[in-house]
Amino acid sequence: MTKYEIIITESAKKDLKVIERDDSEYVQKIIQKIEFCLGEHLFAPIKQCHKKKLKGKVNTHRLHVQRKYTVFYKVMGAKSNRFAQVHLIVGFEAAHQMYPHIDL
C-alpha cells in the first residue's frame, strides 16, 4: 500500500498492454516508477522522480520513466485526500510532441 492512492484509467491500462507487447520488460519498471514517485513521493521533489507540472494545464503533470516513456497524470482530490490519476503512458519522443496539445 502506498502513501497516496493511484488510479490508473482504462486508457492508461490499454497503453500498458501495448507497451507490454513491444517492450515487456519495461512494463514492470513503469509500474514501479509510478508506485514510487506518485504513490510515495507525489509532492516531494526527489532526483529519482523526474516529475513536472505542465505549463498552462490545470493539475496536469508528467513523469519520465528513464527517458523512454512518459506518464501523464493529474493530481486530484481535496487537500487532505490527494491522489494521482494516471491517464496516458506514451513513448518519450511522442510525449514531447504532445505537450502543447495534451488535455486530460
Side-chain angles (χ1 to χ4, degrees):
M1 185 155 176
T2 59
K3 184 176 176 181
Y4 297 98
E5 182 181 5
I6 302 166
I7 296 173
I8 299 178
T9 63
E10 287 302 315
S11 61
K13 288 177 184 176
K14 287 178 186 177
D15 293 338
L16 283 172
K17 286 182 182 184
V18 169
I19 293 167
E20 188 173 37
R21 277 188 258 140
D22 298 333
D23 202 355
S24 61
E25 68 186 49
Y26 251 84
V27 171
Q28 195 58 35
K29 289 180 184 181
I30 293 168
I31 292 169
Q32 288 172 348
K33 188 69 114 174
I34 289 171
E35 288 175 352
F36 179 75
C37 295
L38 305 184
E40 297 298 330
H41 303 281
L42 185 58
F43 300 105
I46 61 174
K47 284 187 177 184
Q48 297 97 320
C49 301
H50 194 189
K51 305 178 290 190
K52 189 174 187 179
K53 183 179 184 314
L54 298 182
K55 293 177 184 176
K57 307 294 181 185
V58 178
N59 296 329
T60 304
H61 305 256
R62 64 102 174 112
L63 166 68
H64 287 316
V65 181
Q66 296 183 344
R67 296 185 60 94
K68 190 162 184 174
Y69 292 100
T70 300
V71 177
F72 290 100
Y73 65 97
K74 289 181 99 62
V75 176
M76 309 289 287
K79 197 167 194 168
S80 61
N81 192 25
R82 299 261 171 125
F83 62 94
Q85 189 173 46
V86 176
H87 286 268
L88 186 63
I89 305 167
V90 296
F92 186 78
E93 295 299 324
H96 280 276
Q97 295 174 5
M98 297 173 77
Y99 285 150
H101 313 289
I102 196 85
D103 187 27
L104 305 180

